[in-house]
Amino acid sequence: MDKMKQPVGVLKGIGEETAASLSEMGIATIGDLLEYFPYRYEDYRLRDLAEVQHDERVTVEGKVHSEPSLAFYGKKKSRLTFRLLTGRYLVSVVCFNRPFYKKQLSINQIVTVSGKWDKNRQTITLQDIVFGPHVSKQDLEPVYAVRGTVTVKQLRKHIVNALKEFNRDLPENLPEQIIDTYKLMGKQEAVKTVHLPLDHQSLKHARRRFVYEEFLLFQLKMQALRKVQREQSAGTGHVFAEAGLNAFTDSLPFELTPAQDRVLQEILGDMKSPYRMNRLLQGDVGSGKTVVAAISMYAAILSGYQSALMVPTEILAEQHANSLLALFEPFGVTVALLTSSVKGKRRRELLERLAGGEISILVGTHALIQEEVNFNKLGLVITDEQHRFGVNQRRVLREKGESPDVLFMTATPIPRTLAITAFGEMDVSVIDQLPAGRKTIETYWVKHNMLDRILGFIDKEVQKGRQAYVICPLIEESDKLDVQNAIDVHAMLVHSFSPKWNTGLMHGRLHPNEKEAVMREFSENKTQILVSTTVVEVGVNVPNATIMVIYDAERFGLSQLHQLRGRVGRGSEQSYCILMADPKSETGKERMKIMTETNDGFVLSEKDLELRGPGDFFGKKQSGVPEFKVADMVHDYRALETARADAAKLIESKAFWSDPEYSHLRDDLASTGVLEGEKLD
Ligand code: ADP
Ligand code: MG
């Protein structure tokens, strides 16, 4: 019988009520209790006040230096104050609502007090007092999150009891070889240390073990899932003539960059293999992902299949459809566009042709994953800007064909740490090189009061034949948020530039037909300036636009600013990005500064992750980024990388699936359902 699986009730002192409270905290078994970790520690070490920060909790030993004075106020409230000489310092100690201490204190007595240090007033607000010298019972006292009727003190006691009775039965779940290699603390010692730390050093050591353990268990799931998905899903082994594909590649007006070529080979390799491709393609804006996607789609077509390209916005769908049409026209490939604005008879006809196999490439928005959409023989699915699609939408799309190859493209450079957690079960390709001859976009950060100069600059550039975007965070004025809105800014620009230049307005509330019209006018240079909300963020391609002005830039994340900036710099002319921002916080200022210093999307995304945290990076709902108990993806990324490599090796080894040494890891895997190919979401 597994002792760890026993209910907490077997411990003395845990009755029904306590067990109920513990169960609210997710603690049902002895094992759960032992692995319920503190979220912080009360620090009772004696410290020199010089090292203590304002508002920090501190414990000091000292001599009472003045007669304690007691004052009553309100109904039952009291305040006791005395001076304390501790080391070189003479400080005040205040103690609220414990009048009885007055009798216990006398001048020159040695006491140990703990409390919050107010550096400005040189005062400690007392929380605990020991009438006598500091006795080091436990310098670091764990603090747990509690619920129900259980107090922290009681929980501590229960955990100590559990440690006494069961710690020696706690099995080691990591293989010996890994423990040796990384000199990790053993499980029993680590669990004990977390609850009863001797000092910071051993606590750090214990934490290091749990970080690795947590990452390894997680990465094992990812790697197992990847293996299972590959092996259980007989994919489509595409067969096509290289010569046919080369004819298409040769028809492009440029040579592929080495990075595009490498990534393309990775994708084609997957497509030819009998396994189903499950690949993430990352590449900065303008790195040429779309072309790679087009070539891959053509390979699928040559092998007798249809391809689908799903994108998050209608504008982008139209742009992609148009550029694919141009590319494929000479090759007799039928490209169709399906969005929610394709209705009625046109829609019915399109769906019929799709089901009949007359359409080879279908481009569209979410409309692609509706039930009524049936392909004849879908062999390749590509989604652009995939992080905007939820995990489920990705799955539905994949299930449209028999078992099509799937490629997820994103221009939001995902920090490696996040990519291997959120997309750990996928293969990753990166286009890490821009086509030659691109000029770096010059980025400036200005205050909003520089507007006149910016308008002058736009005027000058437009006179040279260029175009400009002006991005605003909101559509309409809002009482709550003091931000410029697209409609007002549009009115202001019309006033400034009319009749010399035309200014268009684009935002998410326009009818799709209106959007298309606005976009067309801009791409045909009928409007020179386009005021827009962030709907133009993704993928829009107007190479003649060289100015990107962003209002209230501090409201956007770094990755989003980088995306917006990527709308310019797409042609051969020098482009500019002007960030208008008056950030109040230091982080805000830092973010603006970083934008002006680097054009590297990966650097920015790492920085973004650091400044905003993983939850915010994708937006909570779709993130698929797991919560870790002890580990921190950003700060412990080295351990994450190590664990990933180890997990990959283990999953591929025979020993892992048979040797007793790995039985705990195997059991953990089996309990999650990944071995049946279930996704962890
Ligand atoms: P992404 O989708 O990665 O943002 P695109 O595929 O839209 O980038 O490419 C951006 C622009 O660069 C397009 O105008 C495209 O035709 C052009 N382009 C793509 N690959 C190359 C290349 N190897 N050499 C020159 N131009 C390229
Ligand atoms: Mg693109």
Side-chain angles (χ1 to χ4, degrees):
M1 145 109 203
D2 186 346
K3 291 197 174 160
M4 293 304 132
K5 296 251 162 75
Q6 296 180 91
V8 282
V10 301
L11 284 173
K12 58 174 188 303
I14 298 190
E16 251 170 59
E17 193 187 0
T18 306
S21 296
L22 290 178
S23 127
E24 263 183 68
M25 290 150 58
I27 304 171
T29 64
I30 296 293
D32 297 339
L33 186 60
L34 287 176
E35 295 210 37
Y36 191 77
F37 295 159
Y39 66 92
R40 67 180 184 89
Y41 295 86
E42 217 55 279
D43 194 342
Y44 287 111
R45 285 173 307 163
L46 284 184
R47 290 172 68 191
D48 187 331
L49 280 172
E51 301 165 3
V52 183
Q53 304 294 318
H54 178 67
D55 264 2
E56 229 188 312
R57 192 192 152 105
V58 66
T59 300
V60 294
E61 184 191 288
K63 216 185 239 182
V64 178
H65 198 72
S66 71
E67 197 60 51
S69 81
L70 178 64
F72 285 93
Y73 59 97
K75 257 194 177 160
K76 284 181 184 158
K77 293 181 178 155
S78 71
R79 184 169 185 269
L80 183 75
T81 5
F82 62 92
R83 309 279 279 166
L84 183 78
L85 184 66
T86 169
R88 301 172 276 137
Y89 302 88
L90 186 60
V91 300
S92 297
V93 177
V94 278
C95 169
F96 292 98
N97 307 326
R98 280 178 268 183
F100 40 87
Y101 283 168
K102 185 169 162 67
K103 276 191 224 137
Q104 296 170 266
L105 288 163
S106 54
I107 287 203
N108 282 338
Q109 181 186 3
I110 304 284
V111 291
T112 305
V113 302
S114 300
K116 206 171 179 192
W117 174 232
D118 183 331
K119 198 168 181 171
N120 307 324
R121 299 195 166 140
Q122 298 280 297
T123 297
I124 296 172
T125 304
L126 188 133
Q127 284 161 355
D128 282 316
I129 185 164
V130 174
F131 298 95
H134 181 65
V135 275
S136 163
K137 43 171 183 140
Q138 195 187 335
D139 281 350
L140 292 168
E141 196 173 60
V143 183
Y144 301 91
V146 287
R147 285 202 194 175
T149 57
V150 181
T151 64
V152 175
K153 227 171 182 166
Q154 288 165 345
L155 184 61
R156 257 182 227 143
K157 199 183 71 197
H158 296 313
I159 290 177
V160 169
N161 283 342
L163 282 170
K164 266 189 212 136
E165 220 171 311
F166 295 105
N167 192 42
R168 77 188 83 88
D169 301 315
L170 197 57
E172 179 55 68
N173 57 343
L174 294 181
E176 218 178 287
Q177 174 257 326
I178 281 184
I179 292 195
D180 286 351
T181 311
Y182 301 123
K183 305 202 168 36
L184 297 177
M185 197 183 258
K187 181 91 170 187
Q188 294 179 6
E189 192 190 346
V191 166
K192 190 168 168 203
T193 302
V194 161
H195 296 297
L196 299 167
L198 290 175
D199 50 36
H200 277 275
Q201 201 52 39
S202 56
L203 196 57
K204 231 168 117 180
H205 200 32
R207 184 179 180 277
R208 195 171 135 254
R209 182 223 147 87
F210 287 118
V211 167
Y212 179 85
E213 177 184 326
E214 203 169 18
F215 281 151
L216 184 75
L217 291 177
F218 172 71
Q219 286 294 344
L220 279 172
K221 283 166 207 153
M222 288 302 206
Q223 297 301 318
L225 186 64
R226 173 167 174 264
K227 183 178 162 78
V228 168
Q229 284 186 347
R230 271 179 94 89
E231 291 174 4
Q232 288 187 353
S233 55
T236 308
H238 289 279
V239 184
F240 50 86
E242 300 283 340
L245 199 61
N246 290 342
F248 179 67
T249 314
D250 291 345
S251 77
L252 296 172
F254 45 73
E255 296 248 320
L256 295 184
T257 62
Q260 281 173 315
D261 200 44
R262 169 173 45 77
V263 163
L264 181 65
Q265 294 315 319
E266 288 166 0
I267 294 169
L268 294 179
D270 279 358
M271 288 178 64
K272 287 184 221 165
S273 91
Y275 293 135
R276 186 165 70 189
M277 171 163 72
N278 189 24
R279 189 172 280 280
L280 179 69
L281 169 55
Q282 290 193 62
D284 213 338
V285 273
S287 61
K289 294 180 298 299
T290 312
V291 175
V292 171
I295 300 171
S296 312
M297 288 196 279
Y298 193 56
I301 292 163
L302 288 179
S303 103
Y305 287 87
Q306 292 168 299
S307 297
L309 176 62
M310 184 159 88
V311 298
T313 65
E314 301 216 351
I315 300 182
L316 196 54
E318 276 157 28
Q319 282 221 349
H320 273 310
N322 288 338
S323 54
L324 291 176
L325 267 172
L327 283 177
F328 283 116
E329 181 120 72
F331 292 83
V333 172
T334 328
V335 180
L337 173 68
L338 180 64
T339 62
S340 53
S341 34
V342 180
K343 292 198 180 97
K345 187 161 165 246
R346 254 177 73 212
R347 187 182 191 85
R348 273 197 310 280
E349 275 174 16
L350 187 151
L351 291 177
E352 254 168 50
R353 286 168 57 220
L354 184 71
E358 280 172 59
I359 291 170
S360 293
I361 296 178
L362 186 65
V363 182
T365 53
H366 295 81
L368 287 200
I369 59 173
Q370 280 158 6
E371 248 190 59
E372 46 164 16
V373 180
N374 289 310
F375 291 82
N376 179 271
K377 213 177 160 199
L378 180 60
L380 175 65
V381 173
I382 301 180
T383 72
D384 198 4
E385 299 306 328
Q386 54 71 38
H387 66 277
R388 295 190 162 214
F389 293 113
V391 173
N392 280 329
Q393 288 167 325
R394 285 166 12 201
R395 180 171 21 213
V396 172
L397 183 58
R398 197 157 53 208
E399 284 163 4
K400 283 271 167 204
E402 302 250 302
S403 49
D405 284 320
V406 183
L407 181 68
F408 302 97
M409 301 201 292
T410 180
T412 307
I414 301 166
R416 215 182 126 62
T417 44
L418 269 190
I420 66 181
T421 36
F423 307 104
E425 89 285 12
M426 293 187 189
D427 296 299
V428 178
S429 292
V430 183
I431 305 184
D432 50 6
Q433 178 177 43
L434 294 180
R438 291 273 166 81
K439 292 208 171 84
T440 29
I441 302 162
E442 286 178 21
T443 302
Y444 300 96
W445 165 29
V446 301
K447 302 270 166 72
H448 284 89
N449 60 19
M450 303 267 285
L451 183 64
D452 281 345
R453 290 185 55 184
I454 296 169
L455 294 183
F457 183 61
I458 293 178
D459 186 52
K460 221 175 78 203
E461 280 288 300
V462 174
Q463 248 167 71
K464 286 197 237 158
R466 308 285 104 74
Q467 289 168 275
Y469 293 99
V470 178
I471 305 294
C472 307
L474 289 183
I475 302 173
E476 275 171 58
E477 199 170 342
S478 142
D479 296 339
K480 290 192 199 96
L481 296 165
D482 178 26
V483 286
Q484 288 294 333
N485 61 76
I487 291 170
D488 278 358
V489 170
H490 176 251
M492 183 270 290
L493 290 179
V494 169
H495 181 77
S496 307
F497 289 128
S498 166
K500 210 166 153 196
W501 316 123
N502 296 326
T503 306
L505 174 63
M506 164 73 97
H507 56 71
R509 286 199 214 146
L510 293 181
H511 187 273
N513 291 339
E514 293 174 294
K515 278 191 211 167
E516 201 195 316
V518 171
M519 225 37 239
R520 191 174 325 106
E521 282 174 0
F522 189 61
S523 64
E524 289 169 3
N525 201 358
K526 290 192 177 127
T527 47
Q528 287 72 44
I529 299 145
L530 181 63
V531 178
S532 174
T533 58
T534 55
V535 285
V536 295
E537 180 192 341
V538 196
V540 168
N541 192 19
V542 179
N544 191 46
T546 55
I547 302 184
M548 168 60 67
V549 177
I550 304 174
Y551 264 85
D552 299 301
E554 74 271 21
R555 302 186 56 85
F556 297 99
L558 287 178
S559 294
Q560 204 179 4
L561 288 175
H562 183 63
Q563 282 286 318
L564 288 167
R565 177 166 63 185
R567 295 311 106 214
V568 296
R570 301 176 83 82
S572 51
E573 300 297 330
Q574 178 61 51
S575 289
Y576 307 89
C577 174
I578 299 164
L579 307 168
M580 295 172 74
D582 305 288
K584 305 255 163 1
S585 69
E586 282 311 307
T587 350
K589 288 175 192 160
E590 195 185 338
R591 287 178 27 211
M592 292 308 114
K593 215 167 133 258
I594 296 163
M595 282 300 296
T596 63
E597 285 165 2
T598 182
N599 266 292
D600 185 328
F602 278 92
V603 172
L604 287 170
S605 75
E606 295 283 353
K607 209 69 204 178
D608 215 8
L609 178 63
E610 214 179 290
L611 295 174
R612 291 200 300 168
D616 275 4
F617 191 84
F618 291 121
K620 287 241 161 20
K621 264 197 212 117
Q622 322 190 333
S623 71
V625 178
E627 299 260 334
F628 292 108
K629 201 164 83 173
V630 182
D632 177 311
M633 274 179 355
V634 181
H635 294 105
D636 301 318
Y637 75 95
R638 268 179 227 281
L640 179 60
E641 300 246 339
T642 311
R644 174 178 163 91
D646 292 340
K649 242 187 276 162
L650 283 174
I651 291 291
E652 292 305 325
S653 74
K654 267 215 180 78
F656 178 80
W657 299 100
S658 57
D659 285 10
E661 189 176 1
Y662 303 103
S663 67
H664 289 288
L665 295 179
R666 281 200 303 272
D667 291 350
D668 185 73
L669 260 188
S671 71
T672 61
V674 288
L675 299 180
E676 284 79 55
E678 268 170 47
K679 170 94 182 139
L680 310 154
D681 47 43

